[in-house]
Amino acid sequence: DAGVIQSPRHEVTEMGQEVTLRCKPISGHNSLFWYRQTMMRGLELLIYFNNNVPIDDSGMPEDRFSAKMPNASFSTLKIQPSEPRDSAVYFCASRSTGRPNYGYTFGSGTRLTVV
Amino acid sequence: KQEVTQIPAALSVPEGENLVLNCSFTDSAIYNLQWFRQDPGKGLTSLLLIQSSQREQTSGRLNASLDKSSGRSTLYIAASQPGDSATYLCAVSRETSGSRLTFGEGTQLTVNP
């Protein structure tokens, strides 16, 4: 199993540009989560999906952020337009609700820098 | 609102020492608790998961305990090694299905050779 795969690993963009982060969850996992990590606020949940349906997006900072999960094997997190305060490491995680003993698996993250 | 606190924030020990990391949470209605390790610039690696009905889990030199009624968990590391140096994060989930994790701020561990 290749684990949760995120791309790109690093992204540097100019303020105002659109940024798209991508995630491929573990095959068979039916829940997918997007987290953001910063020094100031630690790990924050942005949004999560169950069976490709968004369940809770209360952590999405503002309308500039959007997330989609068109199928069970792919999700995107988009920021448009990006701002310097969006600079952070964005993690994707997945789990199987049918196998709670196995917990959550995180990807390696995307380090976003907005200049 | 669930709050998770980890003490200490940082810990430096000599190699070979046994050590304990602490995690506390305000809402005892948790479904499970998970300990993660994060190396600098890297993602999170799951170490141990304890279901709410369990008291402890063990993996190698690691042992995690859970006292749900008092809102506490500890991660015990035996015979620490320099390779154990990392940030250790505790996280709890509440609902049973597809639930969110609430993380502590982590304990930064340094094991000196």
Side-chain angles (χ1 to χ4, degrees):
Chain A
D1 191 342
V4 176
I5 300 173
Q6 291 187 247
S7 63
R9 289 297 307 276
H10 302 274
E11 177 81 35
V12 180
T13 191
E14 292 185 348
M15 182 174 64
Q17 296 297 307
E18 178 180 295
V19 175
T20 299
L21 311 182
R22 297 172 176 80
C23 175
K24 176 179 170 56
I26 290 176
S27 176
H29 282 191
N30 61 336
S31 290
L32 182 140
F33 305 79
W34 283 100
Y35 283 86
R36 177 171 68 176
Q37 186 177 38
T38 62
M39 289 292 292
M40 291 296 293
R41 293 189 296 271
L43 275 157
E44 305 172 282
L45 177 68
L46 300 177
I47 185 171
Y48 77 90
F49 297 83
N50 267 3
N51 299 314
N52 313 337
V53 176
I55 301 300
D56 183 352
D57 64 354
S58 60
M60 296 286 261
E62 48 199 271
D63 293 344
R64 296 184 298 106
F65 285 68
S66 63
K68 294 182 179 179
M69 192 164 185
N71 56 61
S73 59
F74 184 66
S75 176
T76 59
L77 178 66
K78 185 177 294 186
I79 308 172
Q80 166 63 20
S82 57
E83 296 182 3
R85 60 193 167 118
D86 301 330
S87 297
V89 181
Y90 291 81
F91 288 104
C92 177
S94 70
R95 71 181 285 243
S96 169
T97 56
R99 304 179 75 187
N101 290 336
Y102 289 83
Y104 300 74
T105 303
F106 278 73
S108 299
T110 294
R111 182 173 296 275
L112 174 65
T113 303
V114 183
V115 299
Chain B
K1 178 185 175 185
Q2 177 73 275
E3 293 183 2
V4 181
T5 304
Q6 291 188 244
I7 294 174
L11 183 62
S12 182
V13 300
E15 181 177 3
E17 207 166 274
N18 301 325
L19 56 98
V20 174
L21 308 181
N22 296 292
C23 171
S24 62
F25 44 94
T26 55
D27 185 349
S28 62
I30 65 168
Y31 184 63
N32 58 38
L33 182 147
Q34 197 163 357
W35 283 92
F36 293 89
R37 167 187 173 139
Q38 185 173 29
D39 293 284
K42 303 290 185 182
L44 280 71
T45 300
S46 178
L47 297 174
L48 290 165
L49 180 144
I50 310 177
Q51 299 292 350
S52 61
S53 58
Q54 298 175 322
R55 297 284 294 182
E56 66 177 346
Q57 284 285 336
T58 299
S59 176
R61 294 181 295 108
L62 305 179
N63 176 276
S65 68
L66 173 64
D67 185 342
K68 198 173 78 162
S69 61
S70 66
R72 294 179 183 177
S73 176
T74 61
L75 179 66
Y76 174 82
I77 302 177
S80 58
Q81 303 171 357
D84 295 331
S85 298
T87 296
Y88 290 79
L89 294 152
C90 162
V92 297
S93 68
R94 190 168 189 275
E95 302 90 359
T96 56
S97 62
S99 63
R100 60 170 58 216
L101 284 173
T102 302
F103 281 87
E105 295 187 350
T107 294
Q108 186 174 353
L109 173 66
T110 302
V111 181
N112 302 300

